[in-house]
């Protein structure tokens, strides 16, 4: 397969004398690729010769204004308009398909912040979003709020509510097909909808060492890529689909610890209850626990040599129709730092236990297992020398998260 992509981006912004910030950007993305694949399943030969050419033109316009008032009040409001033309050319043998979709997203928001006292502050906002494509036209409403109260020097309370949209990739919204092997193909879904995410968190921080959090996450129209085995041909179809919702309730506790100068670290324990529901396929719940920590051992007092271990353990979990097996993962690093802090040498081992995520689905006459090695075990050695007070220059990243196959 020949793969190459091109990104061109232009930004412009202007700050008016009265504080109105106006900005505009244009991004052009192109991802042409040729695919030649030969495979065999039992006695059946599979040959795919295909040409793809994804082209995305995206315009983004923003305007926002902030006003500061007496007694710690601050008001902000603004709007954002996004227009995206999503096109894909597919040629398979003698068949040629031109796919074209236009997406419009319009956002309005207004909010305020107020520092009520030295220990109590609050900020809140409300947003309205209009999402339009050929298959979907819908408004969403997104409130946010964050309140923090420093009860005293040993106790801090924080209550937050946040909400936002999460959008599928541009390619997955087209009626398209991409072959990843002779047995597996990835299909787009023109009916896929963006998901809405609503988070509620209540946090209590004790003595700046212990943190306790209760949280709830509600995601209507939650989408994820699912595998499906049709009964009329030997293949697996991967396709993004929407659930009715995903609902998660959880508790989390974390603590920092130390013992003299030779031991320090943190440990986090999380328990959650997950409920995934789809009226057409499943209605499932699962309790899951995750235990993780980072521990640093200083091996000698004369020199700064540290061994850092980062283990993570997760019990059984679910994602829609999938069961996810328990998993244990371990990363480790050995680091030496010179006395003048200019030199450092680090040996790192990632995924030492060679762990992987195993998904299984046996619902609706399916029998599918996927073992996903997110990261294979590997070892790296890094040497660093710091020159003066050098700081890496920050460069604005072009958002290509929804682009590509």
């Amino acid at each position: 397969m020949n793969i190459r992509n091109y990104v061109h981006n232009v930004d412009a912004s202007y700050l008016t004398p009265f504080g109105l910030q106006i900005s505009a950007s244009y991004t052009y993305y192109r991802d042409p690729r040729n695919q030649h694949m030969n495979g065999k399943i039992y006695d059946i030969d599979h040959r795919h010769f295909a040409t793809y050419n994804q082209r995305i033109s995206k315009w983004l316009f923003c305007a926002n204004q902030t006003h500061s008032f007496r007694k710690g009040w601050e008001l902000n409001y603004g709007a954002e308009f996004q227009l995206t033309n999503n096109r894909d050319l597919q040629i398979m043998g003698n068949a040629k398909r031109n796919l074209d979709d236009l997406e419009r997203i319009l956002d309005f928001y207004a909010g305020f912040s107020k520092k009520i006292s030295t220990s109590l502050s609050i900020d809140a906002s409300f947003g309205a979003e209009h999402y339009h494509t050929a298959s979907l036209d819908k408004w969403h409403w997104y409130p946010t709020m964050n309140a923090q109260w420093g009860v005293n020097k040993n106790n801090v309370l924080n209550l937050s509510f946040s909400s936002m949209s999460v959008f599928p990739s541009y390619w997955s919204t087209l009626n398209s097909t991409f072959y990843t092997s002779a047995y597996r193909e990835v299909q787009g879904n023109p009916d896929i909808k963006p998901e809405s995410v609503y988070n509620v968190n209540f946090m209590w921080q004790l003595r700046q060492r212990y943190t306790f959090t209760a949280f709830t996450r509600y995601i209507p129209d939650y989408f994820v890529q699912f595998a499906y085995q049709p009964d009329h041909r030997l293949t697996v179809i991967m396709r993004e689909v929407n659930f009715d919702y995903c609902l998660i309730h959880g508790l989390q506790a974390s603590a920092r610890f130390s013992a003299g100068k030779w031991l320090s670290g943190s440990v986090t324990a999380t328990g959650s209850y997950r409920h995934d529901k789809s009226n057409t396929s499943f209605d499932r719940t699962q309790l899951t626990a995750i235990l993780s920590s980072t521990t640093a051992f200083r091996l000698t007092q004369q020199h700064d040599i540290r061994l850092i271990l980062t283990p993570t353990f997760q019990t059984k979990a679910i994602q829609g129709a999938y069961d996810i097996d328990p998993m244990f993962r371990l990363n480790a690093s050995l680091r030496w730092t010179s006395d003048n802090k200019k030199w450092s040498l680090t040996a790192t081992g990632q995924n030492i236990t060679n762990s992987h995520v195993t998904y299984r689905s046996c619902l609706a006459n399916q029998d599918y297992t996927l073992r996903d090695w997110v990261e294979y075990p590997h070892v790296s050695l890094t040497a660093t020398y710091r020159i003066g007070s050098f700081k890496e220059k920050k460069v604005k990243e072009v958002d290509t998260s929804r682009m590509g196959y």
Side-chain angles (χ1 to χ4, degrees):
M1 178 182 292
N2 298 320
I3 302 174
R4 59 193 183 277
N5 56 61
Y6 309 88
V7 180
H8 305 280
N9 186 78
V10 178
D11 290 304
S13 62
Y14 176 68
L15 180 62
T16 65
F18 52 89
L20 177 64
Q21 178 76 45
I22 303 172
S23 61
S25 70
Y26 172 73
T27 302
Y28 177 75
Y29 178 91
R30 183 168 171 255
D31 187 2
R33 59 180 66 192
N34 297 315
Q35 183 184 46
H36 305 278
M37 186 183 65
N38 296 326
K40 189 172 185 177
I41 302 178
Y42 298 112
D43 296 329
I44 303 174
D45 289 322
H46 292 265
R47 298 177 181 272
H48 299 295
F49 303 93
T51 298
Y52 305 90
N53 190 4
Q54 184 186 56
R55 292 156 295 161
I56 295 171
S57 298
K58 176 181 173 182
W59 288 95
L60 178 64
F61 303 93
C62 303
N64 59 78
Q65 176 83 56
T66 299
H67 301 283
S68 296
F69 302 99
R70 298 176 57 187
K71 298 184 178 180
W73 284 96
E74 191 172 88
L75 175 67
N76 59 85
Y77 52 89
E80 180 178 295
F81 176 66
Q82 189 177 135
L83 179 65
T84 306
N85 186 209
N86 175 24
R87 295 165 292 168
D88 194 22
L89 169 67
Q90 296 188 5
I91 301 175
M92 298 183 185
N94 295 323
K96 180 178 179 181
R97 300 176 65 196
N98 276 295
L99 305 173
D100 198 334
D101 190 28
L102 191 67
E103 177 188 85
R104 296 197 305 267
I105 304 174
L106 179 61
D107 288 285
F108 300 97
Y109 73 91
F112 74 91
S113 64
K114 165 66 174 172
K115 191 170 184 178
I116 300 173
S117 66
T118 56
S119 60
L120 180 61
S121 62
I122 185 171
D123 59 82
S125 66
F126 184 81
E129 178 183 271
H130 181 244
Y131 180 81
H132 176 83
T133 64
S135 59
L136 184 64
D137 188 272
K138 192 172 183 180
W139 281 92
H140 294 94
W141 314 100
Y142 292 122
T144 64
M145 186 274 293
N146 186 77
Q148 182 166 301
W149 179 29
V151 181
N152 52 49
K153 64 179 182 179
N154 292 324
N155 293 272
V156 176
L157 301 177
N158 184 267
L159 175 64
S160 65
F161 178 85
S162 63
S163 54
M164 64 178 182
S165 289
V166 177
F167 301 96
S169 69
Y170 291 119
W171 183 88
S172 64
T173 64
L174 298 175
N175 186 20
S176 48
T177 301
F178 186 79
Y179 296 93
T180 60
S181 71
Y183 180 57
R184 189 169 65 174
E185 62 187 56
V186 182
Q187 293 184 359
N189 181 4
D191 296 323
I192 192 74
K193 295 180 289 186
E195 66 187 29
S196 299
V197 182
Y198 300 93
N199 289 303
V200 180
N201 289 271
F202 180 71
M203 183 272 292
W204 172 35
Q205 187 179 76
L206 176 63
R207 299 181 182 275
Q208 298 183 353
R209 181 179 292 268
Y210 308 101
T211 303
F212 306 94
T213 305
F215 61 90
T216 292
R217 172 174 288 189
Y218 176 58
I219 313 176
D221 296 323
Y222 176 75
F223 66 83
V224 71
Q225 189 182 73
F226 260 29
Y228 172 71
Q229 297 166 308
D231 55 12
H232 62 283
R233 59 191 176 104
L234 192 60
T235 190
V236 167
I237 298 172
M238 308 293 294
R239 199 180 195 207
E240 288 191 357
V241 297
N242 290 104
F243 302 173
D244 291 342
Y245 62 81
C246 170
L247 177 63
I248 302 173
H249 302 295
L251 296 172
Q252 184 179 84
S254 63
R256 294 186 294 110
F257 58 86
S258 61
K261 295 182 178 180
W262 66 274
L263 176 67
S264 63
S266 63
V267 60
T268 301
T270 305
S272 64
Y273 169 84
R274 177 165 178 156
H275 183 189
D276 287 356
K277 186 176 188 302
S278 173
N279 279 330
T280 59
S281 304
F282 52 81
D283 186 353
R284 311 184 69 210
T285 60
Q286 178 66 44
L287 287 170
T288 300
I290 301 175
L291 183 64
S292 62
S293 72
T294 298
T295 306
F297 302 89
R298 183 162 182 169
L299 302 182
T300 174
Q301 294 298 322
Q302 289 76 24
H303 304 286
D304 190 357
I305 302 176
R306 300 173 189 263
L307 174 64
I308 303 171
L309 300 178
T310 309
T312 301
F313 173 71
Q314 177 180 291
T315 64
K316 179 184 175 182
I318 63 169
Q319 186 182 59
Y322 290 137
D323 291 316
I324 304 175
D325 286 354
M327 177 194 69
F328 175 75
R329 179 186 177 91
L330 178 63
N331 298 333
S333 64
L334 183 63
R335 186 181 67 196
W336 167 79
T337 304
S338 64
D339 294 339
N340 61 9
K341 306 299 181 182
K342 289 184 176 295
W343 280 101
S344 66
L345 190 64
T346 305
T348 302
Q350 297 287 341
N351 194 15
I352 296 173
T353 52
N354 193 24
S355 63
H356 57 272
V357 183
T358 301
Y359 303 86
R360 289 186 173 88
S361 176
C362 297
L363 297 178
N365 297 320
Q366 299 288 298
D367 187 1
Y368 179 77
T369 300
L370 172 66
R371 292 181 178 88
D372 185 10
W373 275 266
V374 178
E375 185 178 40
Y376 287 102
H378 70 274
V379 176
S380 62
L381 183 64
T382 305
T384 304
Y385 180 73
R386 293 173 176 82
I387 302 174
S389 57
F390 169 78
K391 292 184 178 180
E392 185 178 357
K393 184 178 179 181
K394 293 183 178 180
V395 179
K396 179 184 176 181
E397 296 287 339
V398 179
D399 183 11
T400 58
S401 57
R402 298 182 62 198
M403 303 176 186
Y405 291 91

Short mmCIF file of all heavy atoms in Angstrom, two decimals, residues 206-246:
data_model
loop_
_atom_site.label_atom_id
_atom_site.label_comp_id
_atom_site.label_asym_id
_atom_site.label_seq_id
_atom_site.Cartn_x
_atom_site.Cartn_y
_atom_site.Cartn_z
N LEU A 206 -7.52 16.24 50.52
CA LEU A 206 -7.21 16.28 51.95
C LEU A 206 -5.70 16.40 52.14
O LEU A 206 -4.93 15.56 51.64
CB LEU A 206 -7.74 15.02 52.63
CG LEU A 206 -7.43 14.83 54.11
CD1 LEU A 206 -8.08 15.94 54.95
CD2 LEU A 206 -7.93 13.45 54.58
N ARG A 207 -5.28 17.45 52.82
CA ARG A 207 -3.88 17.67 53.19
C ARG A 207 -2.94 17.68 51.97
O ARG A 207 -1.76 17.35 52.08
CB ARG A 207 -3.40 16.63 54.21
CG ARG A 207 -4.16 16.66 55.52
CD ARG A 207 -3.63 15.63 56.49
NE ARG A 207 -4.40 15.63 57.72
CZ ARG A 207 -4.19 16.46 58.75
NH1 ARG A 207 -3.21 17.36 58.66
NH2 ARG A 207 -4.93 16.40 59.83
N GLN A 208 -3.47 18.00 50.80
CA GLN A 208 -2.70 18.05 49.55
C GLN A 208 -2.00 16.72 49.26
O GLN A 208 -1.04 16.67 48.48
CB GLN A 208 -1.66 19.18 49.60
CG GLN A 208 -2.27 20.56 49.73
CD GLN A 208 -1.24 21.66 49.70
OE1 GLN A 208 -0.04 21.43 49.71
NE2 GLN A 208 -1.71 22.89 49.66
N ARG A 209 -2.48 15.65 49.86
CA ARG A 209 -1.86 14.34 49.69
C ARG A 209 -2.86 13.28 49.26
O ARG A 209 -2.53 12.36 48.49
CB ARG A 209 -1.18 13.92 50.99
CG ARG A 209 -0.47 12.58 50.95
CD ARG A 209 0.19 12.27 52.28
NE ARG A 209 1.31 13.17 52.54
CZ ARG A 209 2.56 12.90 52.21
NH1 ARG A 209 2.85 11.76 51.58
NH2 ARG A 209 3.52 13.74 52.50
N TYR A 210 -4.09 13.40 49.72
CA TYR A 210 -5.11 12.42 49.42
C TYR A 210 -6.23 13.09 48.63
O TYR A 210 -6.66 14.20 48.94
CB TYR A 210 -5.70 11.82 50.71
CG TYR A 210 -4.66 11.30 51.66
CD1 TYR A 210 -4.28 12.06 52.78
CD2 TYR A 210 -4.03 10.08 51.45
CE1 TYR A 210 -3.31 11.60 53.66
CE2 TYR A 210 -3.06 9.60 52.32
CZ TYR A 210 -2.71 10.37 53.42
OH TYR A 210 -1.74 9.92 54.28
N THR A 211 -6.72 12.38 47.61
CA THR A 211 -7.80 12.92 46.77
C THR A 211 -8.88 11.86 46.60
O THR A 211 -8.58 10.71 46.25
CB THR A 211 -7.27 13.33 45.39
OG1 THR A 211 -6.22 14.29 45.53
CG2 THR A 211 -8.38 13.95 44.55
N PHE A 212 -10.12 12.25 46.85
CA PHE A 212 -11.27 11.35 46.71
C PHE A 212 -12.25 11.98 45.73
O PHE A 212 -12.58 13.16 45.84
CB PHE A 212 -11.95 11.12 48.06
CG PHE A 212 -11.01 10.64 49.14
CD1 PHE A 212 -10.41 11.54 50.00
CD2 PHE A 212 -10.72 9.29 49.27
CE1 PHE A 212 -9.55 11.12 50.99
CE2 PHE A 212 -9.85 8.84 50.25
CZ PHE A 212 -9.26 9.75 51.11
N THR A 213 -12.71 11.19 44.77
CA THR A 213 -13.58 11.71 43.70
C THR A 213 -14.75 10.77 43.46
O THR A 213 -14.57 9.55 43.37
CB THR A 213 -12.79 11.88 42.39
OG1 THR A 213 -11.64 12.70 42.62
CG2 THR A 213 -13.66 12.53 41.31
N ALA A 214 -15.93 11.35 43.35
CA ALA A 214 -17.12 10.63 42.89
C ALA A 214 -17.50 11.22 41.54
O ALA A 214 -17.53 12.45 41.39
CB ALA A 214 -18.26 10.77 43.89
N PHE A 215 -17.77 10.37 40.56
CA PHE A 215 -18.03 10.90 39.22
C PHE A 215 -19.13 10.11 38.52
O PHE A 215 -19.39 8.94 38.82
CB PHE A 215 -16.76 10.87 38.36
CG PHE A 215 -16.18 9.49 38.14
CD1 PHE A 215 -16.58 8.70 37.06
CD2 PHE A 215 -15.23 8.97 39.00
CE1 PHE A 215 -16.05 7.44 36.85
CE2 PHE A 215 -14.69 7.71 38.81
CZ PHE A 215 -15.10 6.94 37.72
N THR A 216 -19.77 10.80 37.58
CA THR A 216 -20.78 10.20 36.70
C THR A 216 -20.54 10.71 35.29
O THR A 216 -20.29 11.91 35.09
CB THR A 216 -22.20 10.56 37.15
OG1 THR A 216 -22.48 9.93 38.39
CG2 THR A 216 -23.23 10.09 36.12
N ARG A 217 -20.60 9.81 34.32
CA ARG A 217 -20.48 10.19 32.92
C ARG A 217 -21.64 9.59 32.15
O ARG A 217 -21.86 8.37 32.18
CB ARG A 217 -19.16 9.71 32.34
CG ARG A 217 -19.05 9.90 30.82
CD ARG A 217 -17.68 9.55 30.28
NE ARG A 217 -16.70 10.56 30.67
CZ ARG A 217 -15.47 10.61 30.19
NH1 ARG A 217 -15.06 9.71 29.32
NH2 ARG A 217 -14.64 11.54 30.59
N TYR A 218 -22.38 10.45 31.47
CA TYR A 218 -23.53 10.02 30.66
C TYR A 218 -23.27 10.42 29.21
O TYR A 218 -22.99 11.59 28.92
CB TYR A 218 -24.81 10.67 31.17
CG TYR A 218 -26.04 10.37 30.34
CD1 TYR A 218 -26.45 9.06 30.11
CD2 TYR A 218 -26.78 11.40 29.78
CE1 TYR A 218 -27.57 8.78 29.35
CE2 TYR A 218 -27.91 11.14 29.02
CZ TYR A 218 -28.30 9.82 28.80
OH TYR A 218 -29.41 9.56 28.03
N ILE A 219 -23.33 9.43 28.29
CA ILE A 219 -22.98 9.67 26.89
C ILE A 219 -24.11 9.16 26.00
O ILE A 219 -24.10 7.99 25.57
CB ILE A 219 -21.66 8.98 26.50
CG1 ILE A 219 -20.58 9.24 27.55
CG2 ILE A 219 -21.20 9.45 25.13
CD1 ILE A 219 -19.28 8.51 27.28
N PRO A 220 -25.11 9.97 25.71
CA PRO A 220 -26.12 9.56 24.72
C PRO A 220 -25.51 9.51 23.33
O PRO A 220 -24.60 10.29 23.00
CB PRO A 220 -27.20 10.64 24.84
CG PRO A 220 -26.51 11.82 25.45
CD PRO A 220 -25.42 11.29 26.30
N ASP A 221 -25.99 8.56 22.52
CA ASP A 221 -25.47 8.34 21.16
C ASP A 221 -24.00 7.96 21.15
O ASP A 221 -23.28 8.22 20.17
CB ASP A 221 -25.68 9.59 20.27
CG ASP A 221 -27.15 9.89 20.06
OD1 ASP A 221 -27.93 8.94 19.93
OD2 ASP A 221 -27.51 11.09 20.03
N TYR A 222 -23.52 7.34 22.21
CA TYR A 222 -22.14 6.89 22.29
C TYR A 222 -21.80 6.03 21.07
O TYR A 222 -22.55 5.12 20.71
CB TYR A 222 -21.94 6.07 23.57
CG TYR A 222 -20.56 5.46 23.74
CD1 TYR A 222 -19.48 6.25 24.09
CD2 TYR A 222 -20.36 4.11 23.54
CE1 TYR A 222 -18.22 5.70 24.27
CE2 TYR A 222 -19.10 3.54 23.71
CZ TYR A 222 -18.04 4.34 24.07
OH TYR A 222 -16.79 3.78 24.22
N PHE A 223 -20.68 6.33 20.40
CA PHE A 223 -20.33 5.54 19.21
C PHE A 223 -18.96 4.90 19.38
O PHE A 223 -18.07 5.43 20.06
CB PHE A 223 -20.36 6.40 17.94
CG PHE A 223 -19.33 7.50 17.87
CD1 PHE A 223 -18.04 7.24 17.46
CD2 PHE A 223 -19.68 8.80 18.21
CE1 PHE A 223 -17.10 8.26 17.39
CE2 PHE A 223 -18.74 9.83 18.15
CZ PHE A 223 -17.44 9.55 17.74
N VAL A 224 -18.80 3.73 18.76
CA VAL A 224 -17.55 2.99 18.81
C VAL A 224 -17.51 2.07 17.60
O VAL A 224 -18.55 1.72 17.03
CB VAL A 224 -17.46 2.19 20.13
CG1 VAL A 224 -18.45 1.02 20.13
CG2 VAL A 224 -16.05 1.69 20.37
N GLN A 225 -16.33 1.67 17.19
CA GLN A 225 -16.21 0.76 16.05
C GLN A 225 -16.47 -0.68 16.53
O GLN A 225 -15.82 -1.16 17.45
CB GLN A 225 -14.81 0.87 15.44
CG GLN A 225 -14.69 0.11 14.11
CD GLN A 225 -13.30 0.19 13.53
OE1 GLN A 225 -12.37 -0.45 14.01
NE2 GLN A 225 -13.14 0.98 12.47
N PHE A 226 -17.43 -1.34 15.86
CA PHE A 226 -17.81 -2.70 16.21
C PHE A 226 -17.50 -3.65 15.06
O PHE A 226 -17.48 -3.25 13.89
CB PHE A 226 -19.31 -2.77 16.53
CG PHE A 226 -19.60 -2.77 18.00
CD1 PHE A 226 -18.75 -2.14 18.89
CD2 PHE A 226 -20.72 -3.39 18.49
CE1 PHE A 226 -19.01 -2.13 20.24
CE2 PHE A 226 -21.01 -3.38 19.84
CZ PHE A 226 -20.15 -2.74 20.72
N ALA A 227 -17.29 -4.91 15.41
CA ALA A 227 -17.07 -5.96 14.41
C ALA A 227 -18.36 -6.76 14.22
O ALA A 227 -19.08 -7.04 15.18
CB ALA A 227 -15.95 -6.89 14.85
N TYR A 228 -18.64 -7.13 12.98
CA TYR A 228 -19.83 -7.92 12.66
C TYR A 228 -19.47 -8.99 11.64
O TYR A 228 -18.78 -8.71 10.65
CB TYR A 228 -20.94 -7.02 12.10
CG TYR A 228 -22.13 -7.79 11.58
CD1 TYR A 228 -22.99 -8.44 12.45
CD2 TYR A 228 -22.37 -7.88 10.21
CE1 TYR A 228 -24.07 -9.16 11.98
CE2 TYR A 228 -23.45 -8.59 9.72
CZ TYR A 228 -24.30 -9.23 10.61
OH TYR A 228 -25.37 -9.95 10.13
N GLN A 229 -19.90 -10.22 11.90
CA GLN A 229 -19.65 -11.34 10.99
C GLN A 229 -20.94 -11.69 10.25
O GLN A 229 -21.85 -12.27 10.82
CB GLN A 229 -19.16 -12.56 11.77
CG GLN A 229 -17.83 -12.34 12.49
CD GLN A 229 -17.55 -13.42 13.51
OE1 GLN A 229 -18.37 -13.73 14.38
NE2 GLN A 229 -16.37 -14.02 13.41
N PRO A 230 -21.07 -11.34 8.96
CA PRO A 230 -22.28 -11.68 8.21
C PRO A 230 -22.34 -13.19 7.97
O PRO A 230 -21.31 -13.87 7.94
CB PRO A 230 -22.11 -10.90 6.90
CG PRO A 230 -20.65 -10.72 6.75
CD PRO A 230 -20.09 -10.60 8.13
N ASP A 231 -23.57 -13.70 7.80
CA ASP A 231 -23.72 -15.15 7.63
C ASP A 231 -23.64 -15.61 6.18
O ASP A 231 -23.66 -16.81 5.90
CB ASP A 231 -25.04 -15.62 8.24
CG ASP A 231 -26.24 -14.86 7.68
OD1 ASP A 231 -26.07 -14.14 6.68
OD2 ASP A 231 -27.33 -14.98 8.27
N HIS A 232 -23.50 -14.67 5.21
CA HIS A 232 -23.50 -15.07 3.80
C HIS A 232 -22.12 -15.03 3.16
O HIS A 232 -21.94 -15.44 2.02
CB HIS A 232 -24.45 -14.16 3.00
CG HIS A 232 -24.05 -12.72 3.00
ND1 HIS A 232 -24.28 -11.89 4.08
CD2 HIS A 232 -23.43 -11.96 2.06
CE1 HIS A 232 -23.83 -10.68 3.80
NE2 HIS A 232 -23.30 -10.69 2.59
N ARG A 233 -21.08 -14.54 3.90
CA ARG A 233 -19.72 -14.57 3.37
C ARG A 233 -18.72 -14.55 4.51
O ARG A 233 -19.02 -14.09 5.61
CB ARG A 233 -19.46 -13.39 2.42
CG ARG A 233 -19.65 -12.02 3.00
CD ARG A 233 -19.62 -10.97 1.90
NE ARG A 233 -19.87 -9.63 2.37
CZ ARG A 233 -18.94 -8.70 2.53
NH1 ARG A 233 -17.67 -9.00 2.23
NH2 ARG A 233 -19.24 -7.50 2.95
N LEU A 234 -17.53 -15.05 4.23
CA LEU A 234 -16.51 -15.21 5.25
C LEU A 234 -15.70 -13.93 5.37
O LEU A 234 -14.70 -13.73 4.68
CB LEU A 234 -15.60 -16.39 4.89
CG LEU A 234 -14.65 -16.89 6.00
CD1 LEU A 234 -15.45 -17.34 7.22
CD2 LEU A 234 -13.78 -18.02 5.47
N THR A 235 -16.15 -13.05 6.26
CA THR A 235 -15.47 -11.78 6.45
C THR A 235 -15.89 -11.18 7.78
O THR A 235 -16.89 -11.58 8.38
CB THR A 235 -15.80 -10.80 5.30
OG1 THR A 235 -14.97 -9.67 5.38
CG2 THR A 235 -17.24 -10.35 5.38
N VAL A 236 -15.12 -10.22 8.25
CA VAL A 236 -15.48 -9.42 9.41
C VAL A 236 -15.61 -7.97 8.95
O VAL A 236 -14.69 -7.43 8.33
CB VAL A 236 -14.42 -9.53 10.53
CG1 VAL A 236 -14.66 -8.46 11.59
CG2 VAL A 236 -14.47 -10.90 11.17
N ILE A 237 -16.74 -7.36 9.25
CA ILE A 237 -16.99 -5.97 8.88
C ILE A 237 -16.83 -5.10 10.12
O ILE A 237 -17.49 -5.32 11.13
CB ILE A 237 -18.41 -5.80 8.30
CG1 ILE A 237 -18.56 -6.63 7.02
CG2 ILE A 237 -18.71 -4.33 8.03
CD1 ILE A 237 -19.97 -6.67 6.48
N MET A 238 -15.91 -4.14 10.05
CA MET A 238 -15.71 -3.18 11.13
C MET A 238 -16.46 -1.89 10.77
O MET A 238 -16.26 -1.34 9.68
CB MET A 238 -14.22 -2.88 11.31
CG MET A 238 -13.35 -4.10 11.46
SD MET A 238 -13.66 -5.03 12.98
CE MET A 238 -13.11 -3.86 14.22
N ARG A 239 -17.31 -1.44 11.70
CA ARG A 239 -18.14 -0.27 11.40
C ARG A 239 -18.44 0.49 12.67
O ARG A 239 -18.71 -0.11 13.71
CB ARG A 239 -19.44 -0.73 10.75
CG ARG A 239 -20.18 0.35 9.99
CD ARG A 239 -21.44 -0.22 9.39
NE ARG A 239 -22.01 0.64 8.37
CZ ARG A 239 -23.29 0.69 8.07
NH1 ARG A 239 -24.15 -0.10 8.71
NH2 ARG A 239 -23.73 1.49 7.11
N GLU A 240 -18.39 1.81 12.61
CA GLU A 240 -18.76 2.62 13.76
C GLU A 240 -20.28 2.69 13.87
O GLU A 240 -20.97 2.98 12.89
CB GLU A 240 -18.17 4.03 13.66
CG GLU A 240 -16.66 4.04 13.88
CD GLU A 240 -16.12 5.44 14.05
OE1 GLU A 240 -16.90 6.41 13.93
OE2 GLU A 240 -14.91 5.56 14.28
N VAL A 241 -20.78 2.44 15.08
CA VAL A 241 -22.22 2.45 15.34
C VAL A 241 -22.50 3.23 16.62
O VAL A 241 -21.64 3.39 17.48
CB VAL A 241 -22.78 1.02 15.46
CG1 VAL A 241 -22.61 0.25 14.17
CG2 VAL A 241 -22.11 0.27 16.62
N ASN A 242 -23.75 3.69 16.74
CA ASN A 242 -24.19 4.40 17.94
C ASN A 242 -24.91 3.47 18.89
O ASN A 242 -25.68 2.61 18.46
CB ASN A 242 -25.14 5.55 17.58
CG ASN A 242 -24.46 6.69 16.86
OD1 ASN A 242 -24.59 6.84 15.65
ND2 ASN A 242 -23.72 7.51 17.61
N PHE A 243 -24.67 3.61 20.21
CA PHE A 243 -25.53 3.01 21.23
C PHE A 243 -26.64 4.01 21.55
O PHE A 243 -26.59 5.16 21.14
CB PHE A 243 -24.76 2.76 22.54
CG PHE A 243 -23.57 1.88 22.44
CD1 PHE A 243 -22.74 1.72 23.53
CD2 PHE A 243 -23.26 1.19 21.28
CE1 PHE A 243 -21.63 0.92 23.48
CE2 PHE A 243 -22.14 0.38 21.21
CZ PHE A 243 -21.33 0.26 22.31
N ASP A 244 -27.63 3.55 22.32
CA ASP A 244 -28.58 4.50 22.91
C ASP A 244 -27.84 5.40 23.88
O ASP A 244 -27.99 6.61 23.85
CB ASP A 244 -29.71 3.76 23.63
CG ASP A 244 -30.61 3.02 22.66
OD1 ASP A 244 -30.57 3.33 21.46
OD2 ASP A 244 -31.33 2.12 23.10
N TYR A 245 -27.05 4.75 24.77
CA TYR A 245 -26.25 5.54 25.70
C TYR A 245 -25.21 4.66 26.37
O TYR A 245 -25.30 3.42 26.37
CB TYR A 245 -27.10 6.23 26.76
CG TYR A 245 -27.88 5.29 27.67
CD1 TYR A 245 -27.26 4.66 28.75
CD2 TYR A 245 -29.23 5.03 27.47
CE1 TYR A 245 -27.96 3.80 29.59
CE2 TYR A 245 -29.95 4.19 28.29
CZ TYR A 245 -29.30 3.57 29.35
OH TYR A 245 -30.00 2.73 30.17
N CYS A 246 -24.23 5.32 26.97
CA CYS A 246 -23.27 4.70 27.87
C CYS A 246 -23.32 5.50 29.17
O CYS A 246 -23.20 6.73 29.15
CB CYS A 246 -21.87 4.71 27.27
SG CYS A 246 -20.55 4.23 28.42
#
